[in-house]
Amino acid sequence: MTTSSQHPPALGTENPQPPVPTAAEVEDMSVEQRARLAGTLDDVDVVHNQRKWPLAGTRAEKRAERAVALWFVISALTGLAFLLAFVLWPYEYKAPSEEGYLLYALYTPVVGGMFGLSVFALGIGVIAYIKKFFPDEVSVQQRHDGASDQVARLTVTAQLMKAGQDTGIARRKLIIRSAGGAAGILGLGLGVAAVAPLVRNPWKGGDEAALWVTGWRPVNGETVYLRRDTGDPHEVSLVRPEDQAPGSMETVFPFRESDRDDEEALIHALRASDAPVMLIRLRPGQQVVEREGQEDFNYGDYYAYSKICTHLGCPTSLYEAQTNRILCPCHQTQFLATEYGRPIFGPGTRPLPQLPITVNDEGYLVATSDFREAVGPAFWERRYNP
């Protein structure tokens, strides 16, 4: 009696993997062969793959191409509008009652809106291209751990090239040109926006540069008075020592008699970013530590400090009379008014610049000179003129 037995094949030998070619052999393959090899090596099983446009050049395909290109054209036009608005639109401050205020108020919405629309249209164009021209494909891939070898890197590049060929991007000149124009114009706009702040040299002018001088600087020996803001830019209210009670603070601005009938100069003195000064009258009997070289900057119990925080430029609007602390509400830096505006808490590291003041023959508080150091946030190059 003869018997026979059937042994099952060894596990994993039903579909043996083909031998892996060397990197040199892969270099000699065509793009099609590399793409097929990539799928084989990655255990990719393509379940379904159908091109969106089996017949090239149909009217429907042309309509789809124009629809995609339209989004890129919109992106290019709005990117150009963003660039022109950023460079040419009036951006200098105008009061609501002044001519040109509407254009000034629209600057940020126009620049931001055109930039956002350009990016939005570019993104929609990319999504529309993928949806309209990428093949419908369903693939299943087994997971593999570890880094890819040289053969895998070569073949995956071929897969990407094959994907580009399947979408027909090389023959879609309208899409290529419109997308290139949109990306180029948007990139140019971003480049201009990045470089523009560096074009104006803040140190231009040497000792007369905008970073070194403020509206408190005497010009041709003319007296600079301390002026309070009453809400009416045409009203000039000068400050006398008897106007302020002990333990109080008042914000003051520079004023020259030559500016009395100059509306633009009066308004500018109230709005200049480096003009506000805190005039503080200490309570009687306070022990004060003077900064070297600034022993005569105060007038009795009156001390004047820049109101611009040396951390990030916020207004140091709060004064606590009991502790003699000046507080910046933005990031909580505290400065000590009885110690030359020295920071004692928070992220600020530089004292508030002190304005030298005195009282003139008319009994008004006046500035004897400009600040001896730069007003505003600490920056990489600073100086102090003792």
Side-chain angles (χ1 to χ4, degrees):
M1 180 173 170
T2 304
T3 62
S4 64
S5 64
Q6 219 172 1
H7 296 283
L11 184 64
T13 60
E14 297 91 336
N15 297 304
Q17 291 286 337
V20 178
T22 64
E25 292 173 332
V26 173
E27 292 283 0
D28 295 333
M29 293 182 180
S30 66
V31 173
E32 297 280 349
Q33 291 173 325
R34 290 189 193 183
R36 286 196 299 270
L37 177 61
T40 301
L41 295 178
D42 288 342
D43 286 343
V44 175
D45 183 14
V46 180
V47 179
H48 173 76
N49 185 292
Q50 181 179 359
R51 292 191 178 189
K52 288 291 181 69
W53 308 102
L55 297 178
T58 62
R59 291 183 178 180
E61 183 184 16
K62 293 296 182 182
R63 284 196 301 270
E65 186 174 352
R66 288 193 294 269
V68 172
L70 178 61
W71 284 108
F72 292 132
V73 170
I74 293 174
S75 176
L77 293 176
T78 51
L80 182 61
F82 158 72
L83 177 60
L84 294 177
F86 185 86
V87 174
L88 303 177
W89 199 279
Y91 64 90
E92 295 185 354
Y93 177 78
K94 296 289 184 181
S97 59
E98 294 180 330
E99 184 180 357
Y101 171 75
L102 180 60
L103 288 177
Y104 162 75
L106 289 175
Y107 175 77
T108 299
V110 168
V111 170
M114 291 300 100
F115 174 75
L117 186 56
S118 180
V119 175
F120 174 78
L122 184 62
I124 292 297
V126 172
I127 294 173
Y129 178 75
I130 292 174
K131 291 180 70 67
K132 291 180 181 295
F133 293 102
F134 270 52
D136 290 329
E137 180 176 302
V138 178
S139 300
V140 179
Q141 180 180 16
Q142 300 300 319
R143 178 176 176 179
H144 293 269
D145 296 326
S148 301
D149 55 22
Q150 180 65 17
V151 171
R153 288 193 289 270
L154 290 172
T155 54
V156 77
T157 303
Q159 276 186 316
L160 295 175
M161 296 174 62
K162 181 67 166 52
Q165 293 176 358
D166 290 344
T167 63
I169 185 64
R171 60 185 177 85
R172 306 190 192 282
K173 303 301 182 183
L174 181 60
I175 291 180
I176 292 176
R177 290 167 184 164
S178 58
I185 292 175
L186 184 59
L188 178 62
L190 291 175
V192 170
V195 173
L198 306 177
V199 173
R200 184 180 179 185
N201 181 7
W203 289 276
K204 184 179 180 180
D207 291 339
E208 302 298 316
L211 281 178
W212 302 137
V213 299
T214 72
W216 294 98
R217 178 187 58 163
V219 179
N220 299 324
E222 186 176 6
T223 301
V224 182
Y225 293 88
L226 275 62
R227 169 197 178 190
R228 59 175 59 88
D229 184 8
T230 64
D232 181 0
H234 303 94
E235 181 182 359
V236 177
S237 177
L238 304 181
V239 181
R240 293 178 178 271
E242 58 268 24
D243 296 340
Q244 198 165 337
S248 64
M249 181 275 290
E250 184 175 13
T251 302
V252 294
F253 303 86
F255 169 76
R256 298 176 178 81
E257 280 294 340
S258 60
D259 296 338
R260 185 177 289 274
D261 298 323
D262 188 338
E263 180 178 1
E264 183 177 349
L266 291 175
I267 294 176
H268 175 74
L270 296 175
R271 293 177 179 161
S273 60
D274 54 6
V277 163
M278 300 179 71
L279 179 63
I280 297 174
R281 185 179 183 183
L282 300 177
R283 292 173 297 129
Q286 298 298 301
Q287 184 176 359
V288 178
V289 177
E290 307 283 2
R291 187 177 182 179
E292 184 179 355
Q294 297 184 357
E295 293 85 355
D296 59 347
F297 275 26
N298 61 298
Y299 176 77
D301 292 335
Y302 291 85
Y303 290 79
Y305 297 102
S306 170
K307 200 172 182 177
I308 310 304
C309 182
T310 55
H311 173 224
L312 288 179
C314 295
T316 55
S317 305
L318 305 176
Y319 172 62
E320 189 179 51
Q322 296 299 319
T323 59
N324 297 308
R325 294 190 180 192
I326 302 168
L327 173 66
C328 176
C330 291
H331 306 101
Q332 311 305 312
T333 298
Q334 297 180 19
F335 305 89
L336 201 55
T338 52
E339 292 189 24
Y340 54 87
R342 179 176 65 86
I344 57 174
F345 180 82
T349 60
R350 186 161 63 93
L352 292 172
Q354 185 174 352
L355 181 72
I357 59 174
T358 189
V359 172
N360 68 355
D361 296 338
E362 302 172 288
Y364 293 110
L365 284 163
V366 298
T368 60
S369 73
D370 199 356
F371 293 99
R372 300 287 181 87
E373 56 190 315
V375 171
F379 52 93
W380 66 273
E381 183 178 335
R382 57 175 290 245
R383 69 176 181 181
Y384 173 73
N385 292 330

